[in-house]
Amino acid sequence: SLIDLSPEKEWSRGNPDAKVTIVEYSDFQCPACAAYYPILKRLMDEFGDQVLFIYRYFPLRQVHDSADLASRTAEAAGRQGKFWEMHDMLFENQLKWSILPFTAGIIFDGYAKSIGLDVDRFKKDRNSKDVKDRVESDYQSGVAVGVNHTPTFFVNLKQIQNPNGYDDFRNIIIQALGPQS
């Protein structure tokens, strides 16, 4: 399956010229996505410039009542240069906010404040058409390449079976890197 990549326009970490690109379609309210979060963080630390990691929104709105709001929260934070801080905050605190759908927005406003965002601008952005369109655009790009669960990972444009833990994921990256000169 083919994915259009434009790292300069996406939420990416690592080296845009890396030999290995990992794209994750993810839902901030998905427990499996939260389980992969520390694994991905550790892999990024280990592989650094050898890998480019791209995060894409895939809120499972029919299953997770705060998934869309969480995606828009991260996107709004990104408009102030703090996407990854909010990304980490949402996954690290998933158990706290995901069980409280009626107060998730208020909890997210607190996160925005704690990472130093202009909270009024953040709230305005979160509800803006631009932010909603960005989340929907990621979602539709996932649908177009057959994503139907989260997380879904692509390594160098090929969808992979979800790795069974850190070592499994690490081996996939090492294979994708090929022989090191």
Side-chain angles (χ1 to χ4, degrees):
S1 68
L2 221 59
I3 301 189
D4 289 328
L5 295 181
S6 40
E8 67 288 347
K9 292 195 217 112
E10 305 202 59
W11 299 119
S12 63
R13 271 180 173 161
N15 176 3
D17 301 318
K19 196 170 171 188
V20 176
T21 300
I22 299 168
V23 177
E24 177 186 17
Y25 281 92
S26 176
D27 170 342
F28 287 110
Q29 199 172 352
C30 155
C33 297
Y36 276 101
Y37 160 74
I39 293 172
L40 290 162
K41 217 171 162 68
R42 196 173 147 201
L43 290 167
M44 286 310 296
D45 288 346
E46 180 178 350
F47 288 98
D49 274 354
Q50 295 179 287
V51 173
L52 174 67
F53 174 70
I54 294 175
Y55 182 93
R56 289 197 179 158
Y57 306 111
F58 202 80
L60 299 172
R61 300 174 178 108
Q62 59 290 16
V63 195
H64 298 138
D65 36 25
S66 301
D68 190 65
L69 181 64
S71 294
R72 289 186 287 115
T73 290
E75 182 62 25
R79 301 287 158 115
Q80 294 184 50
K82 298 272 180 111
F83 171 81
W84 292 107
E85 290 87 337
M86 186 62 82
H87 165 281
D88 294 1
M89 187 80 80
L90 290 169
F91 277 131
E92 286 163 16
N93 296 287
Q94 185 193 76
L95 289 174
K96 293 188 185 108
W97 61 262
S98 61
I99 55 165
L100 301 164
F102 300 111
T103 55
I106 296 159
I107 293 170
F108 296 161
D109 295 348
Y111 297 165
K113 190 174 179 208
S114 76
I115 62 173
L117 299 181
D118 169 337
V119 178
D120 291 334
R121 185 181 148 202
F122 161 78
K123 287 176 168 173
K124 205 172 133 244
D125 284 344
R126 184 171 61 195
N127 293 316
S128 71
K129 183 178 178 335
D130 268 5
V131 163
K132 289 176 181 169
D133 287 351
R134 170 63 200 273
V135 171
E136 187 58 23
S137 163
D138 272 8
Y139 183 83
Q140 291 304 330
S141 81
V143 169
V145 294
V147 173
N148 59 9
H149 63 277
T150 55
T152 295
F153 297 102
F154 290 80
V155 174
N156 291 348
L157 307 183
K158 286 188 191 69
Q159 187 175 341
I160 60 166
Q161 282 292 314
N162 282 0
N164 191 3
Y166 176 79
D167 291 330
D168 200 12
F169 214 139
R170 185 175 182 272
N171 289 335
I172 290 168
I173 294 172
I174 289 169
Q175 279 184 323
L177 284 169
Q180 297 296 295
S181 51

